Structure formats: structure tokens, C-alpha cells
Amino acid sequence: HAMAPVGGRAGVLSIREEQVVLAGPAQVEVDVVQFELAAANALNTGDEATLRAAADLYGGDLLPDLPDAGWLYARRAALGESHREISVKLATTVQLCAPEQAFLALAGVLESDPLHEGAVRAQMKVLAQLGRRSAALARYEQLVDDLLHAFGTDPDSQTVALFRRLLAGSPA
């Protein structure tokens, strides 16, 4: 049995032995695959426009209507982490010309993963750039508390070094 046209293309799906399958060599665009390809390219090039385009392709959690589907956990986490990395890299790219925009992007990352050290470091740098050195130092202290509570560990060496530079009054 052939199904009705999908996306304006006839014969893309068919039913065989009570299963819906792709009919023939049809090209099917999958948003997750498009995002993964764009993300890899964006993280490789670091180009602002490419980073923005990849960030725009992220549609949120994979299959959010299936919150308890264990088989999705790893894929959801990987896609979310890719999006966070793109957002951090984009924020770092635009930090000098648009620090407020960078701050908002980093706040979004930290909303989904409050312990993302790369985002915390970038946010500390933006705060220092905006003349809010005490807020940057407070953000570090918050991270120290959060990491200790969650994992019983301290921030990594890059984060500690940034904190020490800011504490000494050096530029971020």
C-alpha cells in the first residue's frame, strides 16, 4: 500500500508487512542530521554567521513528547551539548562587539547546564569587560559552591586562573 504524498512528494512512504518504511531511494531531510552537520561545520570554522546558522537550526530537546524514553537520553544530551558549545563559541566570537548579546547567550547555556565551566568562564570575561568585575568574581564563587555540592570537586585550572587574574585586577 502506498501512503498519501508527504511534503509534496508522492511515494516517499509505504506500508510493508504492517510497517511504515521509506519507499525507494528517496531523500528525506531530518532536522537533527541537518543540525549535527551544521554544528560540526560551525564549531570547526568558528565563523559568526555559520555559528548563528547552526544555533538557529537547534529545535530544542529531541522528541520532547517522550521524556522518559531511555533510548533517547544519550542522543538528547549530545545534541544539547553541541548547542551549548555553539552558543559559547558564538558568545566568545561576539563578546567584544556585542557583550550584552554574548551575556544573554551564555545565560541561556547556563540555564540548561549551570555547571558548564566554559560558559561560566566566558560569562566571567563578559562581566569583567562590562566593568562588573565583582559580579564576575561572585559568579566564580557560585560555580565553586555548585561544583562542590554536585560533584565534590573544584573548578578546572583554566577557570581558577581566570579567577586569579580577575582577583588581581588584571584584564580577563
Side-chain angles (χ1 to χ4, degrees), residues 81-93:
E81 183 58 25
S82 290
H83 182 253
R84 287 186 287 276
E85 290 303 318
I86 288 167
S87 297
V88 170
K89 195 161 192 171
L90 178 60
T92 302
T93 301

Side-chain angles (χ1 to χ4, degrees), residues 46-160:
D47 172 68
E48 180 183 345
T50 307
L51 288 163
R52 283 185 192 282
D56 289 344
L57 286 175
Y58 184 70
D61 281 346
L62 178 63
L63 300 174
D65 294 341
L66 300 173
D68 298 324
W71 57 275
L72 284 173
Y73 292 160
R75 190 76 187 269
R76 255 187 211 135
L79 292 167
E81 183 58 25
S82 290
H83 182 253
R84 287 186 287 276
E85 290 303 318
I86 288 167
S87 297
V88 170
K89 195 161 192 171
L90 178 60
T92 302
T93 301
V94 302
Q95 174 185 341
L96 293 177
C97 63
E100 294 84 5
Q101 181 184 7
F103 185 84
L104 290 175
L106 295 165
V109 170
L110 292 168
E111 184 177 314
S112 71
D113 182 1
L115 301 176
H116 193 291
E117 278 198 68
V120 171
R121 272 193 307 275
Q123 192 176 58
M124 289 169 62
K125 290 176 185 178
V126 170
L127 286 167
Q129 178 186 341
L130 292 170
R132 299 176 53 199
R133 189 173 66 83
S134 61
L137 296 171
R139 185 64 187 95
Y140 172 83
E141 295 296 341
Q142 180 184 348
L143 177 66
V144 168
D145 291 344
D146 292 346
L147 285 173
L148 188 60
H149 178 74
F151 302 116
T153 188
D154 293 321
D156 68 24
S157 60
Q158 290 177 305
T159 308
V160 172

